[in-house]
Amino acid sequence: MHKLACPRCKTNKSRFYLIEQNPKAVKLNAQSGDVESEEYVSSGLDPFFVPYKGPEYLVQCGTCGLIDQSVMFEKTADSLK
């Protein structure tokens, strides 16, 4: 884990939430919005599903509540040295 500092409040360097991203591919009924297929496995995605490429986790500042990618918090910590 890298050092973190909040890009918004800049005073918080110790209290954070790590929010794990657990993407789940589902197929919805276009008219009703109901889930038609609970979950696709990564090898069984249909051709119109793009595999998830987002971050593994997000960070939330425990002081001001800002939520962003960890790289933003890491860059702020590096710039405040």
Side-chain angles (χ1 to χ4, degrees):
M1 179 50 83
H2 293 84
K3 290 182 181 181
L4 302 176
C6 179
R8 182 188 293 159
C9 65
K10 295 185 178 35
T11 57
N12 180 24
K13 297 179 184 176
S14 61
R15 294 176 304 281
F16 301 97
Y17 294 97
L18 300 180
I19 305 166
E20 293 180 3
Q21 301 276 77
N22 295 312
K24 179 179 174 182
V26 297
K27 186 173 182 181
L28 301 179
N29 178 297
Q31 281 73 38
S32 68
D34 294 334
V35 176
E36 289 183 354
S37 297
E38 272 302 313
E39 187 170 356
Y40 287 88
V41 291
S42 58
S43 61
L45 292 177
D46 71 37
F48 296 106
F49 256 103
V50 175
Y52 179 76
K53 296 180 182 170
E56 203 174 304
Y57 64 93
L58 295 173
V59 177
Q60 180 177 351
C61 175
T63 302
C64 73
L66 175 72
I67 299 173
D68 208 337
Q69 293 185 29
S70 62
V71 69
M72 298 304 294
F73 288 82
E74 293 167 11
K75 287 182 179 181
T76 302
D78 288 343
S79 70
L80 295 176
K81 286 183 180 178

